[in-house]
Amino acid sequence: MSHTSEPLPTDRPGPRGHGLRLCSWDAESDAHAETWLRGLLDPDFRRWNTPLRPVTDLAGVREALRSRAQEQAEGRTVSFRITEEETGTTLGHIGFHEINRPLKLARVGYWVLPEARGRGVARRALLLATRWAFDDLRLHRVELGHALGHDASCRVAERCGFGYEGTLRGAMFEAGRQDRFRDVHLHARLATDPEPTP
């Protein structure tokens, strides 16, 4: 088994920088659940992402957030709310999954709410979260995959030092389908790579 139950260092205050703070999601918070649902139902999110377990209502959101909290306690994933550092306003989500502690690698994924787009939120959050993953999780490699054609994600990855490594054939569900697949661009960054300029 590639995963371990080694606890993750998530009981400390979340990382902050670049005008952002990364905080925990709370499944019992109405505001958090409503924001998560709004993010997942956003047409742009749905164009590029097809979750394994579709979530369409607040009950499903709470179940998903509780499941993530359990996986986090088991050391398999970490989920952060992206917030404005000064106001605490939620802007989106960023998290690490498929955390492999023996190999010191994980995959990162994120989404940004519609009203927060165009302000460099994804780029700033990815820089902040990746530095945290290298420093606190002691990862060596972080991978980022996005559907072929998602040029905005491609630009964010490259600006954050995630070099393009190739195309994975049929590695992601088609939009809204779990019976058809599409290609994925694979990007990655190593702890030894130069730190990108914010």
Side-chain angles (χ1 to χ4, degrees):
M1 187 75 176
S2 61
H3 304 291
T4 71
S5 58
E6 182 180 346
L8 298 174
T10 55
D11 54 345
R12 300 192 288 272
R16 61 176 68 206
H18 310 308
L20 303 175
R21 181 172 180 186
L22 305 184
C23 306
S24 299
W25 288 95
D26 180 1
E28 309 314 314
S29 164
D30 291 341
H32 289 198
E34 290 165 5
T35 299
W36 185 275
L37 182 61
R38 196 158 58 85
L40 295 193
L41 295 182
D42 173 62
D44 198 54
F45 174 88
R46 295 167 69 90
R47 177 183 178 193
W48 300 112
N49 301 276
T50 303
L52 284 172
R53 290 181 293 179
V55 174
T56 58
D57 57 30
L58 289 175
V61 168
R62 293 187 193 283
E63 181 181 341
L65 289 176
R66 289 182 188 119
S67 176
R68 282 176 177 265
Q70 179 61 40
E71 291 174 359
Q72 187 159 308
E74 295 168 356
R76 296 188 290 141
T77 188
V78 177
S79 294
F80 287 119
R81 242 179 351 115
I82 305 169
T83 70
E84 285 188 345
E85 187 172 13
E86 289 188 7
T87 67
T89 302
T90 301
L91 305 174
H93 162 81
I94 191 163
F96 298 92
H97 56 283
E98 299 179 30
I99 296 173
N100 186 319
R101 300 305 286 275
L103 287 179
K104 299 185 176 184
L105 68 87
R107 300 199 95 184
V108 64
Y110 56 85
W111 49 262
V112 175
L113 292 168
E115 66 270 20
R117 292 177 190 148
R119 296 164 40 196
V121 171
R123 177 182 50 80
R124 292 183 285 140
L126 183 57
L127 286 170
L128 183 59
T130 303
R131 177 45 49 202
W132 176 86
F134 290 148
D135 292 345
D136 286 52
L137 295 187
R138 305 289 184 204
L139 296 183
H140 170 67
R141 175 180 169 90
V142 176
E143 296 179 348
L144 186 159
H146 64 80
L148 195 66
H150 195 343
D151 296 336
S153 258
C154 212
R155 288 191 298 271
V156 168
E158 290 173 347
R159 289 174 183 167
C160 291
F162 284 74
Y164 170 68
E165 295 190 343
T167 300
L168 306 177
R169 296 179 301 144
M172 179 183 283
F173 289 136
E174 285 279 2
R177 309 262 318 243
Q178 292 190 352
D179 60 342
R180 297 187 64 178
F181 299 86
R182 55 183 159 181
D183 294 348
V184 170
H185 265 185
L186 176 65
H187 298 256
R189 185 172 150 197
L190 305 182
T192 52
D193 287 341
E195 186 75 18
T197 302

